[in-house]
Amino acid sequence: MGSDYPPSLRCGLPGLILSLETAFILIFWFCFSNESGSTPKDLDIYPAFQDVNVLMILGFGFLLAFLKRYGFSSTGFNLLIAALGVQWAVLVEGFLFSSSAGKMKISLHSILKASISVTAVLISAGALLGKANPIQLIWMAMVEVAAFVTSRWINVKFLKVEEHTSLMHVPIFGTYFGLAVSWWLYHSSLSEKVEKEKSNPISDLFSMLGVLFVWMFWPSFNSVLIVDLMERRNAICNTYYAIAVSAVAAFALSSLSSRNGKIRMIHIHHAALAGGVALGFSAPIIPHPWIAMILGLLASMVAVLGSHCLQTYLNSVLKIHDTCGVHYMFGLPGLLGAIVNVILFIIIKRANLSSLGYLALIEVGSFMLTTAIGLGTGFITGFILTFKLWKTLPASKYFDDQAYWEFPHLAYRF
Amino acid sequence: MGSDYPPSLRCGLPGLILSLETAFILIFWFCFSNESGSTPKDLDIYPAFQDVNVLMILGFGFLLAFLKRYGFSSTGFNLLIAALGVQWAVLVEGFLFSSSAGKMKISLHSILKASISVTAVLISAGALLGKANPIQLIWMAMVEVAAFVTSRWINVKFLKVEEHTSLMHVPIFGTYFGLAVSWWLYHSSLSEKVEKEKSNPISDLFSMLGVLFVWMFWPSFNSVLIVDLMERRNAICNTYYAIAVSAVAAFALSSLSSRNGKIRMIHIHHAALAGGVALGFSAPIIPHPWIAMILGLLASMVAVLGSHCLQTYLNSVLKIHDTCGVHYMFGLPGLLGAIVNVILFIIIKRANLSSLGYLALIEVGSFMLTTAIGLGTGFITGFILTFKLWKTLPASKYFDDQAYWEFPHLAYRF
Amino acid sequence: MGSDYPPSLRCGLPGLILSLETAFILIFWFCFSNESGSTPKDLDIYPAFQDVNVLMILGFGFLLAFLKRYGFSSTGFNLLIAALGVQWAVLVEGFLFSSSAGKMKISLHSILKASISVTAVLISAGALLGKANPIQLIWMAMVEVAAFVTSRWINVKFLKVEEHTSLMHVPIFGTYFGLAVSWWLYHSSLSEKVEKEKSNPISDLFSMLGVLFVWMFWPSFNSVLIVDLMERRNAICNTYYAIAVSAVAAFALSSLSSRNGKIRMIHIHHAALAGGVALGFSAPIIPHPWIAMILGLLASMVAVLGSHCLQTYLNSVLKIHDTCGVHYMFGLPGLLGAIVNVILFIIIKRANLSSLGYLALIEVGSFMLTTAIGLGTGFITGFILTFKLWKTLPASKYFDDQAYWEFPHLAYRF
């Protein structure tokens, strides 16, 4: 361990967590109760809810575990901010969306929507992986959930975006929020990849495990909130075709873009998921599998090319360090999906020409608004997170579990 | 390898397993048949059954894989005693609970209840991890399943405890049975932690994987047997809130209890699950989420504080060595849940004052009876397991896969 | 790295993948559309479909990850050929089985059947693990899927085999196809186990993870296509009993067959799954659990004894190198299941003696035909795969990720 010890979390972390939990419990006490009534309508979604839960807790947790000395923090802090974020998201959702008088009713549906909202935080945390301490992550989760739910509320109330579509903005919002925060946490030492920022074969296999879980359950993620059963079925099938094509294409594009035709694991991770992200908006309305397949192929290209060409640019010119490459995994494919969705929307509704321009404008405005709110609130949050008050880590301690975790063994040797 | 070779399992293990299997097959032959009829009512629970199955086989298997030289045995013997225990539990359940004449009918429901009963054995095996050989584990599984199902039968028949509640005694029973057995297997060399009893970062990550699976599917575990759909929904939601809070609080309490504010992985493992265990009894009847959340917070505290304060005491004074800390993960949170359940029961039923005292006494008696039977039968089983007949392991070979597994590689190096 | 560099995949792999994907997209464009209509009948199977998906992508991927230097290829190429194979299988299935005019309708059911067909490829890939490069694997997947679906079509059309039964030929077909291909890829250096062909404790644990997923979800695999709900329930329960017994027996038989009573991990992997494979055909019609249990016991014996006695014979005399031992995991138990199915069929239908002989002959003919087509097409495919055109790997580069993957770290050290 170097000479500059990382600041102890003892004074900050327990206090912060316990006050937040106390506040949450009090708010739940006064404002929320379990939905009651004769028949629960939400038990049907329980298997799909568990798919989303596995995707979040296990998938994202292990997906982020690719850094060779940061496996505990990747999986542990992912659990921490997911579990904390869901409680907070249920509260914010309740206050913004509930209209009934008296205590607000919460159900499995509330937890599901909260879980999907929290995915934004998990994606942002990917961009900050190894650089932010748990105190910063918790504050970020609080602000980001509030900002995302508010952005969703504006979309639903004023732009009349459907509930499912509004939640599918989550990858875009999470990415740009995370990148904006990451700009503030930039440090000159990040311009070169340090030894600790690399993966090793075992950590990459753990990461593959997470990626496969996210990959397998992305059809559930894209479909679980769709009410119409036919549309839900189409969303499942279309997402499946898209991720199948994007996973296959990832191998081709990775081999094509590397020096000697070898495949890079990181490309597979990025591009395999890109297809599912790109389908987020349009999965239920795509009428033919081939459209989903082409979208999957394009998303895979965007992910690999972005990762190959943009990464150095972002890092050196814009001074944005994106540890996990969420920009290529979620951001760009999400934008691609949003654009394709507008085009599909125009084609499908072209009969009704009078209001077409107006509606298309709303669609475009909707995701641009989300991106803007993400960037804006992320920028402010990033500034706040640089305060010394949050026990910010010296850059020499980045990417290292030893800053936060007590090891029973002396040397951390993989 | 030291000079005192571990005794070969060749004479004992195959004979024991094959005779048990032959006996099981014969009993199934003469006494059981698949349920028949026009429509199966138990297919609905199949997704939740698979959740419980994953929790048992994968979750517990990898949860126990934290010892650095004991990964094969942790996952392998977990599969062995789970698969063997379920068959035996189906038999014992059938004989004790079935009332119909002729061949007993078994269904998916039977397998599900047997699986939940067998969780007791898996918990006990956690306390004995690394110290008991598979022959001892199998005998323990046989006795423990029989004892637990009998204890459950007494609860259901005489104390009129509901089926779901009676099965939720499983963490308490498993813990105290395991601790009683562990007392007999104590060896003076266990007073200090040997090198082999420690974890390393990779084995801890595998363990995290198991913990996350148990964490994610605990709502299914707590709800799958509830018949009333509304109560089942509430059980799912309440358990979710409780485990969310206990996972979050685990980070705060671990950081608070360690020397320099660092987080200990073992605390996260223990405390994250504690919330779900504490909700076992009362999950379906808790009317408001905040009650579940407070219970989760308390369970997390009990788990971390227990682990922090009691562990040395238990080990040095009572001479009970609990490898995996099941006392803090399952035992104490289970007792907490049972006590809270009685209090909740009194509050909810307070209108009907005449029989209240009597009913509350039954509730208290029920879990005290379970604990007593667990301790008692565990004590007897532990005594039997010390017989040389079972090829007991010398203490120098504890916590080492090489006693049981053939390695194709010479050196076991992580 | 030795002096004979592995050929770069750059010229072959991207071109092959991208042309195949383009072709698939075009065929989907002109010939297929999503099933439409008022109510989707296939949403019910979604949870079970996901079980099969997890079994394929995660289960097989990690099951094959036991080679210590081949984890990336095992999990990565498994995803590649699964995702590519499913698209191709949907196409071939559509052309062979669809009878309607106009565009063929595809649904979740189509993807499910395609997934099960592709399992044949994943099994064959297990026999070739470490020896075939991704170009060879892709060609093999293309030929094998076409051959299997054609074989299934013959079974269904001419021998009037039921749909579910015809798909359950998949382990037999996959094994014998893979072994035939493996005969062509044999190299004298394979007669002795090289260092790289061994496992290490960590890779074995990853493999255990995969095995457990396959084990847990085998009941879904054996039941998901059964239409009759009662039969589906029986298939689930019977498969569960069989795999429980085969997992338990694996420990006994492994300890019995090894030199000093120690258990071999590879036996557990092979034998634990054997029970499920053996039940493939007869799971829905077995009336009593004990029959399933005996079948599980026999399958476990066949797997362990086969692995113990036949492996050297196959390798040295027949010159067939089966890296993962699929012959003992899937082939022999599958044949056992097919034979038992014929016997059960005769016993159950014995009342109707007139046509019994004829029907039994059809049953026998059906699986012999599948085996023959598997061996035949596998032999031809193996010959084609030896062409230098496919950048075949020199034997010194077998079992090594470094031939295909770019490592950010210099040395591959576990």
Side-chain angles (χ1 to χ4, degrees):
Chain A
M1 209 177 279
S3 57
D4 45 349
Y5 284 96
S8 166
L9 299 173
R10 188 159 199 176
C11 328
L13 187 67
L16 175 62
I17 289 180
L18 294 178
S19 3
L20 280 176
E21 275 302 340
T22 314
F24 290 169
I25 291 176
L26 287 175
I27 304 178
F28 269 102
W29 190 336
F30 290 111
C31 308
F32 288 85
S33 70
N34 276 335
E35 204 174 59
S36 56
S38 49
T39 43
K41 294 197 192 85
D42 48 359
L43 262 183
D44 298 346
I45 57 161
Y46 184 59
F49 164 74
Q50 277 293 10
D51 289 355
V52 173
N53 200 17
V54 171
L55 185 153
M56 273 177 66
I57 303 293
L58 202 102
F60 274 99
F62 278 91
L63 185 154
L64 299 177
F66 65 94
L67 294 177
K68 62 176 156 184
R69 289 167 74 104
Y70 209 63
F72 284 21
S73 305
S74 301
T75 54
F77 297 159
N78 183 71
L79 175 66
L80 171 66
I81 56 176
L84 196 66
V86 166
Q87 302 170 45
W88 175 231
V90 168
L91 292 183
V92 182
E93 287 260 347
F95 284 113
L96 277 179
F97 284 90
S98 177
S99 54
S100 62
K103 280 200 176 182
M104 280 168 275
K105 303 292 180 199
I106 48 179
S107 63
L108 196 55
H109 227 84
S110 320
I111 304 181
L112 173 64
K113 282 194 283 183
S115 296
I116 294 181
S117 301
V118 168
T119 312
V121 183
L122 307 184
I123 291 173
S124 302
L128 304 179
L129 190 73
K131 297 174 289 176
N133 70 25
I135 302 180
Q136 291 172 305
L137 288 176
I138 290 173
W139 280 120
M140 187 186 78
M142 294 300 109
V143 180
E144 185 167 1
V145 163
F148 176 71
V149 179
T150 311
S151 144
R152 192 167 94 72
W153 179 74
I154 297 173
N155 272 310
V156 170
K157 285 284 157 180
F158 299 106
L159 303 180
K160 306 290 174 205
V161 174
E162 271 182 81
E163 175 127 273
H164 166 258
T165 314
S166 72
L167 271 162
M168 286 299 124
H169 284 131
V170 98
I172 299 180
F173 189 93
T175 305
Y176 290 102
F177 189 100
L179 291 181
V181 172
S182 191
W183 186 82
W184 281 100
L185 296 188
Y186 190 80
H187 185 278
S188 59
S189 72
L190 291 171
S191 60
E192 268 182 43
K193 214 164 192 172
V194 293
E195 184 56 32
K196 284 190 285 187
E197 205 192 331
K198 291 182 182 158
S199 61
N200 67 15
I202 296 177
S203 65
D204 264 334
L205 261 188
F206 275 115
S207 183
M208 188 68 177
L209 179 77
V211 167
L212 290 183
F213 271 107
V214 178
W215 190 87
M216 292 184 299
F217 292 132
W218 208 271
S220 302
F221 187 85
N222 274 358
S223 69
V224 64
L225 277 167
I226 298 171
V227 181
D228 183 275
L229 292 184
M230 208 64 210
E231 283 193 359
R232 190 190 294 179
R233 207 279 311 275
N234 282 348
I236 291 172
C237 290
N238 287 329
T239 307
Y240 187 89
Y241 289 118
I243 53 174
V245 173
S246 66
V248 169
F251 286 86
L253 300 165
S254 178
S255 171
L256 209 56
S257 68
S258 78
R259 259 180 317 149
N260 47 4
K262 291 196 175 181
I263 304 161
R264 291 187 63 189
M265 199 42 138
I266 196 78
H267 287 161
I268 307 300
H269 291 184
H270 287 177
L273 303 181
V277 176
L279 261 271
F281 299 99
S282 45
I285 60 164
I286 288 178
H288 303 295
W290 64 268
I291 305 178
M293 291 166 82
I294 286 183
L295 202 46
L297 188 64
L298 290 177
S300 193
M301 273 183 195
V302 164
V304 173
L305 291 182
S307 172
H308 193 67
C309 311
L310 280 181
Q311 198 139 28
T312 24
Y313 175 76
L314 267 185
N315 204 337
S316 60
V317 178
L318 290 184
K319 299 202 181 308
I320 295 175
H321 180 268
D322 176 3
T323 317
C324 181
V326 294
H327 196 202
Y328 320 112
M329 216 192 285
F330 299 104
L332 296 178
L335 286 184
L336 172 75
I339 294 165
V340 170
N341 188 42
V342 174
I343 299 171
L344 274 175
F345 182 85
I346 293 177
I347 294 171
I348 290 173
K349 304 249 167 159
R350 70 181 157 225
N352 190 3
L353 277 169
S354 60
S355 60
L356 186 62
Y358 175 71
L359 285 173
L361 211 69
I362 293 283
E363 292 276 323
V364 174
S366 154
F367 79 79
M368 286 185 68
L369 180 82
T370 305
T371 315
I373 297 182
L375 275 172
T377 51
F379 192 80
I380 300 167
T381 313
F383 171 64
I384 298 171
L385 290 190
T386 55
F387 295 174
K388 276 280 171 207
L389 185 65
W390 318 123
K391 322 269 177 196
T392 50
L393 211 60
S396 64
K397 296 289 157 204
Y398 279 0
F399 313 117
D400 200 334
D401 272 343
Q402 281 187 328
Y404 312 117
W405 299 82
E406 197 177 298
F407 286 103
H409 30 79
L410 283 172
Y412 195 123
R413 192 174 65 81
F414 258 97
Chain B
M1 209 178 278
S3 57
D4 44 349
Y5 285 95
S8 166
L9 298 173
R10 187 157 198 179
C11 329
L13 188 66
L16 175 62
I17 289 180
L18 295 178
S19 4
L20 280 176
E21 276 302 340
T22 314
F24 289 170
I25 291 175
L26 287 175
I27 304 178
F28 269 102
W29 190 337
F30 290 110
C31 309
F32 289 85
S33 70
N34 276 335
E35 206 174 57
S36 57
S38 49
T39 44
K41 293 197 193 83
D42 48 359
L43 262 183
D44 299 345
I45 57 160
Y46 184 59
F49 164 75
Q50 276 293 11
D51 290 356
V52 173
N53 200 17
V54 172
L55 185 154
M56 273 177 66
I57 302 293
L58 202 102
F60 273 98
F62 277 91
L63 184 155
L64 299 177
F66 64 93
L67 293 176
K68 63 176 155 184
R69 288 168 74 102
Y70 209 62
F72 284 21
S73 305
S74 301
T75 54
F77 297 159
N78 184 71
L79 174 67
L80 170 66
I81 57 175
L84 195 66
V86 166
Q87 301 170 45
W88 176 231
V90 168
L91 292 183
V92 182
E93 287 259 346
F95 283 113
L96 277 179
F97 285 90
S98 178
S99 54
S100 62
K103 280 201 175 181
M104 280 169 276
K105 303 293 181 199
I106 48 179
S107 62
L108 197 54
H109 226 85
S110 321
I111 304 181
L112 173 63
K113 282 194 283 182
S115 296
I116 294 181
S117 301
V118 168
T119 312
V121 183
L122 306 184
I123 292 172
S124 302
L128 304 180
L129 191 72
K131 297 173 289 176
N133 69 26
I135 301 179
Q136 292 173 305
L137 288 176
I138 290 172
W139 279 119
M140 188 186 78
M142 295 299 108
V143 179
E144 186 167 359
V145 163
F148 176 72
V149 179
T150 311
S151 145
R152 193 166 94 73
W153 179 74
I154 297 173
N155 273 310
V156 170
K157 286 285 158 181
F158 300 106
L159 303 181
K160 306 290 174 205
V161 174
E162 271 183 80
E163 175 127 274
H164 167 257
T165 315
S166 72
L167 271 162
M168 287 299 125
H169 284 131
V170 98
I172 299 180
F173 189 93
T175 305
Y176 291 103
F177 189 100
L179 291 180
V181 173
S182 192
W183 186 83
W184 281 100
L185 297 187
Y186 191 80
H187 185 279
S188 59
S189 72
L190 292 171
S191 61
E192 269 181 45
K193 214 163 192 172
V194 293
E195 184 56 33
K196 285 191 285 187
E197 205 190 333
K198 290 181 184 158
S199 61
N200 67 16
I202 296 177
S203 64
D204 265 334
L205 261 189
F206 275 115
S207 183
M208 187 69 176
L209 179 77
V211 168
L212 290 182
F213 271 107
V214 178
W215 190 87
M216 292 184 298
F217 293 132
W218 208 271
S220 302
F221 187 85
N222 274 359
S223 68
V224 64
L225 276 167
I226 299 172
V227 181
D228 182 275
L229 292 184
M230 208 64 210
E231 284 193 359
R232 189 190 295 179
R233 208 279 311 274
N234 282 349
I236 291 172
C237 291
N238 286 329
T239 307
Y240 186 89
Y241 289 118
I243 53 174
V245 173
S246 68
V248 170
F251 286 87
L253 299 165
S254 178
S255 171
L256 209 57
S257 68
S258 77
R259 259 180 317 152
N260 47 4
K262 293 196 174 179
I263 304 161
R264 291 187 63 190
M265 199 41 137
I266 195 79
H267 287 159
I268 306 300
H269 291 185
H270 287 176
L273 303 182
V277 176
L279 262 271
F281 299 98
S282 45
I285 60 164
I286 287 179
H288 303 294
W290 63 267
I291 305 178
M293 291 166 82
I294 287 182
L295 202 46
L297 188 64
L298 290 177
S300 194
M301 274 182 194
V302 163
V304 174
L305 291 182
S307 172
H308 192 68
C309 311
L310 280 180
Q311 197 138 29
T312 25
Y313 175 76
L314 268 184
N315 203 337
S316 59
V317 178
L318 289 185
K319 300 204 180 307
I320 295 174
H321 181 268
D322 177 3
T323 317
C324 180
V326 295
H327 197 203
Y328 321 112
M329 216 193 284
F330 299 105
L332 296 178
L335 286 183
L336 172 76
I339 295 166
V340 170
N341 188 41
V342 174
I343 299 172
L344 274 175
F345 181 85
I346 294 177
I347 294 172
I348 290 173
K349 304 248 168 159
R350 73 185 154 223
N352 189 4
L353 277 170
S354 61
S355 60
L356 186 62
Y358 175 71
L359 286 172
L361 211 69
I362 294 282
E363 293 277 324
V364 175
S366 155
F367 79 79
M368 286 185 67
L369 180 81
T370 304
T371 316
I373 298 181
L375 276 172
T377 50
F379 192 80
I380 300 168
T381 313
F383 172 65
I384 298 171
L385 291 190
T386 54
F387 294 173
K388 277 279 171 206
L389 185 64
W390 318 125
K391 322 268 179 198
T392 49
L393 211 59
S396 64
K397 296 289 158 203
Y398 279 0
F399 313 117
D400 201 334
D401 271 344
Q402 281 186 328
Y404 311 118
W405 298 83
E406 198 178 298
F407 287 103
H409 30 79
L410 283 172
Y412 194 123
R413 191 174 66 82
F414 258 96
Chain C
M1 210 178 278
S3 56
D4 44 349
Y5 285 96
S8 166
L9 298 174
R10 187 157 199 180
C11 329
L13 188 66
L16 175 62
I17 289 180
L18 294 179
S19 3
L20 280 175
E21 275 302 341
T22 314
F24 289 170
I25 291 176
L26 287 175
I27 304 178
F28 269 102
W29 190 336
F30 290 111
C31 309
F32 288 85
S33 70
N34 276 334
E35 204 175 60
S36 57
S38 50
T39 44
K41 291 196 194 87
D42 48 359
L43 262 184
D44 298 345
I45 57 160
Y46 184 58
F49 164 74
Q50 277 292 10
D51 290 355
V52 173
N53 200 16
V54 172
L55 185 154
M56 273 177 65
I57 302 293
L58 202 101
F60 273 98
F62 278 91
L63 184 154
L64 299 177
F66 64 93
L67 294 177
K68 61 177 157 184
R69 289 168 74 104
Y70 209 63
F72 284 20
S73 306
S74 301
T75 54
F77 298 159
N78 183 72
L79 175 67
L80 171 67
I81 56 175
L84 196 66
V86 166
Q87 301 170 46
W88 176 231
V90 168
L91 293 183
V92 182
E93 286 259 347
F95 284 113
L96 278 179
F97 284 90
S98 178
S99 53
S100 62
K103 279 199 176 184
M104 279 168 274
K105 303 292 180 196
I106 49 179
S107 63
L108 197 54
H109 227 84
S110 320
I111 304 181
L112 173 63
K113 283 194 282 182
S115 296
I116 295 181
S117 300
V118 168
T119 312
V121 183
L122 307 184
I123 292 173
S124 302
L128 303 179
L129 191 72
K131 297 173 289 177
N133 70 25
I135 301 179
Q136 292 172 305
L137 288 176
I138 289 172
W139 280 120
M140 187 186 78
M142 294 300 108
V143 179
E144 185 168 0
V145 163
F148 176 71
V149 179
T150 311
S151 144
R152 192 166 94 71
W153 179 74
I154 298 173
N155 272 310
V156 171
K157 286 283 157 180
F158 300 106
L159 302 181
K160 306 290 175 205
V161 174
E162 272 183 79
E163 175 128 274
H164 167 257
T165 314
S166 72
L167 271 162
M168 287 299 125
H169 284 132
V170 98
I172 299 180
F173 189 93
T175 306
Y176 291 102
F177 189 100
L179 291 181
V181 172
S182 191
W183 186 83
W184 281 101
L185 297 187
Y186 190 80
H187 185 277
S188 60
S189 73
L190 292 171
S191 60
E192 268 181 45
K193 214 164 192 171
V194 293
E195 184 56 32
K196 284 190 285 188
E197 205 191 332
K198 290 182 184 158
S199 61
N200 67 14
I202 296 177
S203 65
D204 264 335
L205 261 189
F206 275 115
S207 182
M208 187 68 176
L209 179 77
V211 168
L212 290 182
F213 271 107
V214 178
W215 190 87
M216 292 185 298
F217 293 132
W218 207 271
S220 302
F221 187 85
N222 274 359
S223 69
V224 63
L225 276 168
I226 299 171
V227 181
D228 183 274
L229 292 185
M230 209 64 209
E231 283 193 359
R232 190 190 294 180
R233 207 280 311 275
N234 282 349
I236 291 173
C237 290
N238 287 330
T239 306
Y240 186 89
Y241 289 118
I243 53 174
V245 173
S246 67
V248 170
F251 286 86
L253 299 166
S254 178
S255 171
L256 209 57
S257 69
S258 78
R259 259 181 316 153
N260 47 4
K262 292 195 175 181
I263 304 160
R264 291 187 63 190
M265 199 41 137
I266 195 78
H267 287 160
I268 307 300
H269 291 184
H270 286 178
L273 303 182
V277 176
L279 262 269
F281 300 98
S282 45
I285 61 165
I286 287 179
H288 303 294
W290 64 267
I291 305 178
M293 291 166 82
I294 288 183
L295 202 46
L297 189 64
L298 290 177
S300 194
M301 274 182 194
V302 163
V304 173
L305 291 182
S307 171
H308 193 67
C309 310
L310 280 181
Q311 198 140 28
T312 25
Y313 176 75
L314 267 184
N315 203 337
S316 59
V317 178
L318 290 184
K319 301 205 179 306
I320 295 175
H321 181 270
D322 176 3
T323 317
C324 181
V326 294
H327 197 202
Y328 320 112
M329 217 192 284
F330 298 105
L332 296 179
L335 286 183
L336 172 76
I339 295 166
V340 169
N341 188 42
V342 174
I343 299 171
L344 274 175
F345 182 85
I346 294 177
I347 294 172
I348 290 173
K349 304 246 167 160
R350 70 183 157 224
N352 189 5
L353 278 170
S354 60
S355 60
L356 187 62
Y358 175 70
L359 286 173
L361 211 69
I362 292 283
E363 292 277 324
V364 174
S366 154
F367 78 79
M368 287 185 67
L369 181 81
T370 304
T371 316
I373 297 182
L375 276 172
T377 50
F379 192 80
I380 300 167
T381 313
F383 171 65
I384 297 171
L385 291 189
T386 53
F387 295 174
K388 276 280 171 206
L389 185 66
W390 318 124
K391 323 267 179 199
T392 49
L393 211 59
S396 64
K397 297 289 158 204
Y398 279 1
F399 313 118
D400 201 334
D401 272 344
Q402 281 187 328
Y404 312 117
W405 298 82
E406 197 177 298
F407 285 103
H409 30 78
L410 283 172
Y412 194 123
R413 190 175 65 82
F414 258 97

